[in-house]
């Protein structure tokens, strides 16, 4: 197998990273992709740094052993807490979602006021704030943990009034502070774009790291001459638990037909 | 050490089982207790049967090695899916929360109509329905999964209007069916008694398995002559992740002073 034909590895704590999968697939339809969802230990966003590092290294080693040419850490929590550690065990170059998301937000803001919503672990890590300040020390950044967003999405309640009330509880206090840009700092949150938009109003641009990460991935492949020139890449899904539920939710929440989902228990 | 001085082991997927811990401690203050919370892999309620069995056996083996004289599976999901498998690896007798809860509900109902609320995994297992029908085939039983209750409790939103709206979304459709008894079939749910009571109305008795399980545990010790006759039992807490967070939440949600929480990673 030519190096360019080796798959891109994408991993996430569960299903949320499929938003990154979709963006990568749309941008680079010729690429072979292996997606790993750690459904046995999901969620990561409420766990400790030690746990997230240990889980992430385990998965990076597994995807390395499967010969991936690029590893995308699609999970914001793992990108925030474990990126350096993952780089140590991965043979392939590693891309997280924080820096691409931060760059997209810094490019989008006009008044230099950026709000970041994420899991408890992501917000506590301060990773988005650091990445944004590095790009532009003049940015005003506030970060807000929204731990109920993931279970609401997984319950399939994205369009319900209750979900809008939860979003208002978390985000309405920030309305006065005139943020013009918000980072959806968790892969599940793009599914809540509509309700979040209704709470914050039209003036706020919602930035989703998935697309930005896909562009960064393509740039990384181009610069290493690893882009697959073929036609129609193959996709493959692995979950650490409940592969059938993964298949059903992938279809219901994101419209992705996974085919058979392989199970790999730790 | 005399056999009666050996500790009671209690395990749960996380913090919820502390409601059982409290009931045991209240009923048997002389007992030494080891509590294990699997905070690295919480929640269990959304995971597969295979995963819940594998996690539960691992913890049962650990508590067996620590010499427990009785093992209480405080987690409803683990009690529903893994009790038989846990019995195979435990040296001590094993008590779950399903049968005690079912007995308490069967004794409480007058019109023989019982509603069970639980995690997705508990409800899919049908364990409460089976236990109730075994006690009285004439009971009418309905089971309802309420997956957002656990994250709402862990967010500390037990008293909020939003939580009442979520409870209404799940439970209001059952109001017409004249249930006079509901089983709180997850250890977190007793913390939502007030909002659930407001949704279902005063006519519905809410049965919490924790107290029933504590009585069953005492009966099991008495029948084996293992009750600790001493004064003031010692308590000890172990978590598989984030021991400091465990300590803080145990205090905030349940008023329990854990002291130092030991960490045991898998």
């Amino acid at each position: 197998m030519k190096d360019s034909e080796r798959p891109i590895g994408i991993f996430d704590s569960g299903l949320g990273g499929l938003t990154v999968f979709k963006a990568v697939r749309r941008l680079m339809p010729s690429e072979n992709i292996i997606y790993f969802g750690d459904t046995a230990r999901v969620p990561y966003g409420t766990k400790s740094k030690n746990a997230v590092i240990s889980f992430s290294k385990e998965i990076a080693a597994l995807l390395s052993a499967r010969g991936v040419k690029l590893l995308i850490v699609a999970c914001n929590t793992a990108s925030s807490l474990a990126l350096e550690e993952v780089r140590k065990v991965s043979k392939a170059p590693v891309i997280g979602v924080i820096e691409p998301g931060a760059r997209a937000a810094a490019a989008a803001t006009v008044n230099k006021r950026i709000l970041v919503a994420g899991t408890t672990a992501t917000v506590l890590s301060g990773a988005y704030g650091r990445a944004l300040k590095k790009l532009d020390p003049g940015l005003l950044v506030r970060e807000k943990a929204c731990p109920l967003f993931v279970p609401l999405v997984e319950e399939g309640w994205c369009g319900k009034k209750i979900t809008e009330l939860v979003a208002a509880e978390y985000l309405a206090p920030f309305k006065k502070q005139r943020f013009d840009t918000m980072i959806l700092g968790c892969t599940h949150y793009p599914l809540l774009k509509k309700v979040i938009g209704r709470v914050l109003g039209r003036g706020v641009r919602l930035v989703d790291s998935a697309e930005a990460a896909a562009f960064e991935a393509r740039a990384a492949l181009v610069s290493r001459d690893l882009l697959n020139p073929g036609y129609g890449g193959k996709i493959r899904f692995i979950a650490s638990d409940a592969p059938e539920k993964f298949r059903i939710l992938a279809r219901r929440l994101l419209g992705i037909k996974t085919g058979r989902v392989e199970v790999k228990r730790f």
Side-chain angles (χ1 to χ4, degrees), chain A:
Chain A
M1 191 192 284
K2 279 188 255 169
D3 273 357
S4 64
E5 290 171 359
R6 283 159 47 209
I8 296 174
I10 303 178
F11 89 79
D12 182 54
S13 57
L15 281 154
L18 290 173
T19 54
V20 175
F21 166 84
K22 272 184 101 163
V24 169
R25 183 105 174 117
R26 209 163 30 226
L27 193 65
M28 298 180 278
S30 300
E31 295 299 331
N32 299 310
I33 303 175
I34 302 181
Y35 181 96
F36 188 101
D38 194 6
T39 47
R41 299 182 290 205
V42 70
Y44 283 8
T46 55
K47 311 275 157 85
S48 74
K49 182 171 181 175
N50 279 335
V52 173
I53 288 175
S54 145
F55 301 162
S56 300
K57 284 170 74 175
E58 211 168 357
I59 296 163
L62 180 146
L63 289 172
S64 274
R66 300 246 181 156
V68 299
K69 63 181 177 182
L70 177 73
L71 180 59
I72 305 176
V73 182
C75 173
N76 281 266
T77 303
S79 294
S80 299
L81 300 174
L83 208 60
E84 289 316 307
E85 296 294 322
V86 164
R87 287 199 169 114
K88 286 181 197 163
V89 297
S90 171
K91 291 175 203 156
V94 177
I95 283 174
V97 290
I98 306 295
E99 282 175 33
R103 261 200 298 278
T109 184
V110 175
N111 71 3
K112 302 206 170 215
R113 301 172 87 89
I114 297 175
L115 181 60
V116 181
T119 65
T120 305
T122 297
V123 167
L124 285 178
S125 79
Y128 271 110
R130 276 195 305 281
L132 287 162
K133 293 282 189 185
K134 214 164 137 188
L135 292 166
D136 179 353
L139 291 171
L140 177 102
V141 181
R142 288 286 173 275
E143 303 190 51
K144 172 66 182 168
C146 306
L148 283 164
F149 280 176
V150 170
L152 282 164
V153 168
E154 299 208 332
E155 182 67 330
W157 286 14
C158 296
K160 272 201 200 287
K161 185 73 193 165
I162 285 172
T163 305
E164 194 172 327
L165 292 171
V166 172
E169 180 82 21
Y170 286 137
L171 302 173
F174 294 94
K175 277 188 80 169
K176 285 183 201 156
Q177 296 171 47
R178 298 187 300 112
F179 295 96
D180 72 351
T181 302
M182 182 173 115
I183 297 181
L184 301 165
C186 168
T187 48
H188 281 73
Y189 297 2
L191 296 164
L192 298 173
K193 257 187 179 169
K194 275 190 194 163
V195 287
I196 293 171
R198 276 201 292 272
V199 168
L200 292 177
R202 289 194 179 186
V204 180
R205 178 148 177 203
L206 303 180
V207 172
D208 154 7
S209 300
E211 205 171 324
F215 277 100
E216 175 130 337
R218 189 173 60 175
L221 292 178
V222 169
S223 74
R224 288 168 176 84
D225 205 13
L226 282 174
L227 210 59
N228 191 338
Y231 304 88
K234 284 187 189 131
I235 57 178
R236 162 168 229 163
F237 296 87
I238 314 172
S240 54
D241 186 35
E244 184 58 15
K245 186 178 162 196
F246 183 95
R247 191 183 65 76
I248 291 166
L249 284 176
R251 180 132 186 203
R252 202 178 76 192
L253 296 177
L254 289 126
I256 295 169
K257 290 182 194 173
T258 60
R260 197 182 75 83
V261 175
E262 184 184 335
V263 65
K264 163 69 193 157
R265 300 198 187 275
F266 291 116

